[in-house]
Amino acid sequence: MQYFNLHTHVYTSQEDIVELVNQYPQEFDAGLSNYSIGIHPLFINLDRLESDFKILEQKVTLPECLAIGECGLDKRSETAFEIQLDVLEKQLLLAEKHQKPVVIHCVHAFQELVELKNKLNITTPILIHGFSKKEQLAKQLLDNGFYLSFGKNLLRNPELETVFTNTPNDRFFLETDMIEEGIHEVYALAAKYKKITVTELQQIISNNFNTVFTNK
């Protein structure tokens, strides 16, 4: 593996990239070689929630499923926050049961996320995708055992450089999510910020991959 893309919605099938392609239960594509699958807080549908969980429980056991997610909390969602918390709790417990890492989407609810993780005593790795916040929050998340994944905002926001460079090498991943730029461009900028070569960065992320995705 030369490159690992922690979170993308588009499978590109490039030989030098391992892509963790995001899937939702109601749109599941069995043809993907590596994927995460979860119930997103913006797309919770109470009418099909039971069937979504049934699909999730089936797919999480497959070797192609590397993680649960993206799931999480979003205070912009039309779904009541208490329901979001309940849906996330069930997914975290499912991840803990199967020892699969979790890819998290979180908007304006990081404190509640930390509290839920600690309340449930979750031991499987939890990764915050698309991290874009300030150093104080980064430190809080890192101190509570989370991993941070950087992508779009690393390319778009120069102020994120300090947050990224201060993130320990054993606690971060890189991603593209839905941006036009490829993972090669994200790696290039990340290596520049860390003042290392792309090859050295590839080894760091490969080590992190082997630590977090132990079922692969």
Side-chain angles (χ1 to χ4, degrees), residues 41-102:
L42 291 177
F43 307 136
I44 294 172
N45 184 325
L46 297 179
D47 292 333
R48 65 160 191 260
L49 192 56
E50 183 177 349
S51 64
D52 279 353
F53 267 109
K54 284 182 179 179
I55 295 170
L56 182 57
E57 288 166 2
Q58 293 169 355
K59 303 309 179 186
V60 73
T61 62
L62 300 178
E64 295 82 11
C65 178
L66 302 192
I68 287 181
E70 60 180 309
C71 55
L73 302 170
D74 192 326
K75 289 187 177 177
R76 304 169 305 173
S77 176
E78 295 180 359
T79 301
F81 194 69
E82 293 75 16
I83 294 174
Q84 292 185 50
L85 282 168
D86 181 61
V87 170
L88 177 58
E89 178 172 330
K90 289 177 181 177
Q91 291 180 91
L92 289 177
L93 292 173
L94 186 63
E96 186 73 9
K97 175 183 176 181
H98 294 282
Q99 283 299 290
K100 296 283 177 90
V102 183

Side-chain angles (χ1 to χ4, degrees), residues 89-177:
E89 178 172 330
K90 289 177 181 177
Q91 291 180 91
L92 289 177
L93 292 173
L94 186 63
E96 186 73 9
K97 175 183 176 181
H98 294 282
Q99 283 299 290
K100 296 283 177 90
V102 183
V103 178
I104 289 287
H105 165 102
C106 189
V107 175
H108 304 312
F110 286 99
Q111 188 60 44
E112 293 90 341
L113 176 65
V114 171
E115 290 172 357
L116 184 60
K117 174 185 183 294
N118 292 336
K119 182 188 83 168
L120 299 175
N121 294 313
I122 299 298
T123 63
T124 194
I126 301 181
L127 309 100
I128 308 295
H129 105 79
F131 189 75
S132 64
K133 304 303 179 185
K134 301 206 179 286
E135 197 157 357
Q136 183 179 359
L137 179 56
K139 184 178 186 305
Q140 180 189 9
L141 292 168
L142 293 166
D143 288 347
N144 280 277
F146 290 85
Y147 288 75
L148 305 180
S149 181
F150 298 84
K152 176 181 73 174
N153 292 291
L154 195 65
L155 296 178
R156 305 282 195 270
N157 181 9
E159 294 181 3
L160 203 57
E161 177 182 354
T162 301
V163 177
F164 174 67
T165 54
N166 288 337
T167 300
N169 284 351
D170 62 348
R171 299 291 290 283
F172 76 84
F173 287 93
L174 300 173
E175 63 176 69
T176 59
D177 195 2

